[in-house]
Amino acid sequence: MRLIVIGNGMAGARLVSEVRARDKEIRVTVFGAETWQPYNRVLLSNVLAGSSGPDQVRLLDPSWYGEHGVEAVLGTPVVQIDRETRTVIAEDGRRVPYDVLVLATGSSAVVPPIPGVERAIPFRTLDDCQEILAASRTSSRAVVVGGGLLGIEAARGLAGRGLPVTLLHLAGHLMERQLDAEAGLVLGETLAGLGVEIRTGVSAAEVLPEGVRLADGTLVEGDLVVLACGVRPETELAAQAGLEVRRGVVVDDELRTDDPAVFAIGECAEHDGVVYGLVAPAWEQAAVVADVITGTAKDARYRGSRMVTRLKAKSVELAAMGETHLTEEHAEVVRFSHRARGTYRKLVIREGRLVGAILLGESAAVGTLTQLFDRGGPLPGDRAGLLFPGAGGAAVADSPVRMPDSAKVCQCNNVTKGQIRACWESGARDVTAVAAATRATTGCGTCRDAVEGIVGWLCEQEGVSA
């Protein structure tokens, strides 16, 4: 069998490694439009903030392809799919036949069609990140357009480097898709305390050398302008090939398109009307496709993902999951707000189960609530104990002692405490070794403290050094 993967990002690279783990004989070629080895796009905010370098966000070692018999064609995008002859045509003219084709083309940054926008830098790729960093060294003030996840991470990263930053957002509050108005307000106040000026309910009309002019004529000064206005699934290649495309490339529960020889995964795929923009669903999809095409589990099916959004910005703790916008009219809502401390917690409960939550500010409840949301199991009657674990004898799931082996520690890679324990018992005595064996911490990275805690606890129990 000849497998071609178009896209060498987080979805494509994961698929290639999943396939090779199951089958050593399939001929695999992966095309990547970027010249970089596959990297963790989720951790680009760390690169921007200076806490990680490009080498520290790599997903695969550069030697991995050769060692595993994978042909990697980097810096060479595919420009056409010929479904009749089952061939892909690359930008350099090469034609490569396939038996199975997987589209993992991801998304591209949305660039608003306003005058002067070419002066701004999108925040999407590692090249973008390096361009922003180079510009920041000679800039006196930055403007970030877009108050979603990426925009906040970009603004916090630049502010952490000592650059005054103004964050502009069209909606009335930050991260309006994930947060309610009060949570958005508390988040904005937290960011303001970290050196980010917040302007919501404003529209950028023009990018000038001296800053951004708003629709009302106001000039927001800044000699560095960063765009984080959202992303758009890359579907042009699929559409030109005659595949069904709506918002994304339409796929079924096997992640097949309407051509049985072509699959799609990650941010370019639309499953059951949903396009997922997070890493965990992409990796779940990669595992299903790998099972199906290698025959390892021919009945493998993708049934959708329960999404947990984590903000990765220094000194800002935020997790949002599920249906956060439901009101008391449609669900049981439990909330606590302490704006002076930058704390906001909200639970949305329906039929005794957690269907949504917002946790802003440091909280030991994150692990417990993520597990309850992920499993969809019944909740204990003590709602306050869920928001404030330990206050009334409630178990703290983040504690390794009380955490059951079935508890999921790494959401991105579906790694449980039991798997980490088994890995430790097999000789992995530090986080690096555990990550190499289980992939825990290699997604969004927010589980690293929990993994370190479990490894440290295991070492302490056995009287060995970590």
Side-chain angles (χ1 to χ4, degrees):
M1 181 189 295
R2 177 109 193 205
L3 167 65
I4 291 182
V5 181
I6 302 178
N8 194 36
M10 298 187 73
R14 182 57 164 257
L15 173 70
V16 170
S17 63
E18 293 276 6
V19 167
R20 195 46 94 222
R22 292 162 173 75
D23 191 306
K24 311 299 182 187
E25 304 302 322
I26 292 178
R27 297 176 63 189
V28 181
T29 300
V30 57
F31 284 88
E34 295 183 67
T35 57
W36 296 94
Q37 297 286 336
Y39 58 86
N40 190 332
R41 199 183 304 277
V42 177
L43 300 181
L44 287 183
S45 56
N46 292 354
V47 177
L48 204 60
S51 58
S52 299
D55 288 344
Q56 293 171 290
V57 299
R58 266 197 325 231
L59 287 171
L60 295 173
D61 187 271
S63 62
W64 188 91
Y65 291 114
E67 292 172 354
H68 291 82
V70 173
E71 180 186 10
V73 185
L74 306 182
T76 307
V78 170
V79 295
Q80 185 182 346
I81 301 168
D82 185 338
R83 289 167 52 203
E84 288 189 10
T85 62
R86 291 195 176 182
T87 303
V88 300
I89 298 103
E91 189 177 57
D92 62 2
R94 77 178 75 188
R95 302 174 68 92
V96 184
Y98 66 84
D99 297 302
V100 175
L101 175 66
V102 179
L103 302 176
T105 49
S107 297
S108 57
V110 171
V111 177
I114 58 176
V117 73
E118 67 279 357
R119 297 188 179 97
I121 307 172
F123 179 42
R124 177 63 182 164
T125 68
L126 190 50
D127 283 334
D128 295 337
C129 198
Q130 294 200 317
E131 187 178 353
I132 292 168
L133 287 176
S136 70
R137 298 184 186 104
T138 58
S139 298
S140 59
R141 186 173 186 88
V143 179
V144 176
V145 182
L149 200 64
L150 279 180
I152 292 170
E153 291 176 357
R156 177 65 186 106
L158 291 171
R161 289 178 172 269
L163 199 64
V165 180
T166 301
L167 178 62
L168 308 177
H169 192 47
L170 180 62
H173 66 271
L174 299 176
M175 290 182 64
E176 74 281 359
R177 292 184 180 179
Q178 296 88 5
L179 305 182
D180 60 22
E182 187 171 359
L185 176 64
V186 176
L187 175 59
E189 291 173 345
T190 299
L191 291 169
L194 296 171
V196 180
E197 180 188 355
I198 307 295
R199 303 275 303 268
T200 56
V202 297
S203 176
E206 184 177 6
V207 180
L208 303 168
E210 61 270 24
V212 176
R213 188 172 302 284
L214 303 180
D216 64 3
T218 304
L219 176 66
V220 179
E221 295 184 354
D223 45 0
L224 168 59
V225 179
V226 176
L227 299 177
C229 304
V231 295
R232 181 181 294 111
E234 281 284 1
T235 60
E236 184 177 355
L237 197 61
Q240 289 176 349
L243 297 170
E244 183 181 0
V245 172
R246 294 175 194 158
R247 182 166 171 240
V249 184
V250 177
V251 295
D252 61 16
D253 289 353
E254 288 187 320
L255 286 312
R256 291 185 199 265
T257 67
D258 49 343
D259 181 335
V262 182
F263 296 75
I265 61 172
E267 293 181 334
C268 72
E270 179 179 329
H271 174 266
D272 199 21
V274 179
V275 176
Y276 294 94
L278 299 174
V279 62
W283 285 355
E284 291 170 12
Q285 293 170 0
V288 170
V289 172
D291 280 340
V292 171
I293 65 178
T294 62
T296 304
K298 293 181 180 179
D299 59 346
R301 298 293 183 272
Y302 178 68
R303 305 299 187 187
S305 297
R306 298 173 70 82
M307 293 193 291
V308 179
T309 300
R310 301 291 294 264
L311 179 63
K312 295 158 290 300
K314 186 178 179 181
S315 304
V316 185
E317 298 288 336
L318 171 63
M321 58 199 83
E323 302 176 68
T324 57
H325 293 287
L326 292 180
T327 65
E328 285 83 349
E329 296 177 6
H330 305 97
E332 177 188 351
V333 178
V334 183
R335 61 164 61 87
F336 171 82
S337 180
H338 189 175
R339 286 174 56 182
R341 293 287 300 273
T343 300
Y344 181 79
R345 301 174 189 174
K346 177 181 181 180
L347 306 181
V348 181
I349 302 164
R350 193 163 51 198
E351 297 179 356
R353 287 169 168 75
L354 186 67
V355 298
I358 299 172
L359 299 166
L360 176 58
E362 188 174 347
S363 173
V366 173
T368 300
L369 292 172
T370 301
Q371 292 161 32
L372 289 169
F373 171 72
D374 188 61
R375 295 174 185 169
L379 298 181
D382 180 15
R383 309 302 200 218
L386 291 173
L387 287 181
F388 304 97
V396 182
D398 295 52
S399 166
V401 180
R402 300 181 181 181
M403 186 185 296
D405 275 355
S406 60
K408 191 182 295 184
V409 178
C410 177
Q411 296 292 322
C412 296
N413 289 288
N414 295 313
V415 181
T416 64
K417 176 195 170 185
Q419 290 172 298
I420 294 172
R421 182 202 291 274
C423 183
W424 185 90
E425 291 172 347
S426 297
R429 293 295 194 258
D430 57 29
V431 174
T432 301
V434 170
T438 67
R439 291 174 170 160
T441 76
T442 64
C444 70
T446 53
C447 67
R448 186 175 183 85
D449 288 345
V451 175
E452 285 179 345
I454 293 169
V455 171
W457 169 70
L458 288 167
C459 290
E460 183 179 333
Q461 297 302 302
E462 297 298 323
V464 299
S465 57

